Amino acid sequence: MGNKPYIIELEKIGNPSLGYITVAEFQKNIPFEIKRVYYLYDIPSSAKRGGHAHKELQQVLIAISGSFDVVLKDGNSVKIITLNKPDKGLLINYNIWRELENFSSGAVCLVLASDIFKEEDYIRIYEDFLDSIE
């Protein structure tokens, strides 16, 4: 798959009797400077989110509660990754189409982004995405 999305292990500190804290840090386990943080929540299980690619933005998606599927498309293949652990993040580089679906009840998706919101960085039509990677 182009730009190879992959799972990042986030630092997990604690134990079952006291609970855990998970840490995401630039240059330690996040490969970019974090310039924007947002989260998705109260999403109906039948809803789909995402449905776009980015020209330059990198993101790490983390299921901090519940679970959801991330459908990744590079123009040649489709990969589905289920996120369901708060100490695992999915790094998605630019030029990868992403869709989020199958949200469990109470799911929360935390997103760490390499830049602030810029509409001009989005590719929102799949055919335009395919044209951009040829």
Side-chain angles (χ1 to χ4, degrees), residues 35-75:
K35 295 189 177 174
R36 185 172 184 232
V37 175
Y38 61 95
Y39 46 95
L40 310 169
Y41 59 96
D42 289 342
I43 300 170
S45 61
S46 61
K48 293 188 180 192
R49 298 297 308 253
H52 63 268
H54 290 280
K55 298 173 186 173
E56 296 180 5
L57 187 79
Q58 295 176 281
Q59 295 178 315
V60 172
L61 280 59
I62 304 166
I64 58 173
S65 179
S67 66
F68 53 90
D69 293 335
V70 183
V71 181
L72 302 166
K73 300 177 183 179
D74 66 1

Side-chain angles (χ1 to χ4, degrees), residues 34-131:
I34 300 166
K35 295 189 177 174
R36 185 172 184 232
V37 175
Y38 61 95
Y39 46 95
L40 310 169
Y41 59 96
D42 289 342
I43 300 170
S45 61
S46 61
K48 293 188 180 192
R49 298 297 308 253
H52 63 268
H54 290 280
K55 298 173 186 173
E56 296 180 5
L57 187 79
Q58 295 176 281
Q59 295 178 315
V60 172
L61 280 59
I62 304 166
I64 58 173
S65 179
S67 66
F68 53 90
D69 293 335
V70 183
V71 181
L72 302 166
K73 300 177 183 179
D74 66 1
N76 295 312
S77 62
V78 177
K79 187 173 186 178
I80 300 173
I81 296 176
T82 299
L83 293 178
N84 59 5
K85 293 183 169 56
D87 62 336
K88 309 275 189 266
L90 175 63
L91 173 68
I92 305 175
N93 285 305
Y94 55 89
N95 285 336
I96 297 290
W97 189 267
R98 79 280 322 267
E99 299 166 356
L100 284 69
E101 60 186 28
N102 281 335
F103 288 87
S104 70
S105 177
V108 178
C109 173
L110 177 69
V111 182
L112 309 175
S114 64
D115 207 349
I116 61 172
F117 176 82
K118 295 179 183 172
E119 181 60 38
E120 63 272 14
D121 186 64
Y122 282 74
I123 303 170
R124 296 189 183 272
I125 300 171
Y126 189 68
E127 290 74 22
D128 292 346
F129 165 71
L130 293 175
D131 290 343

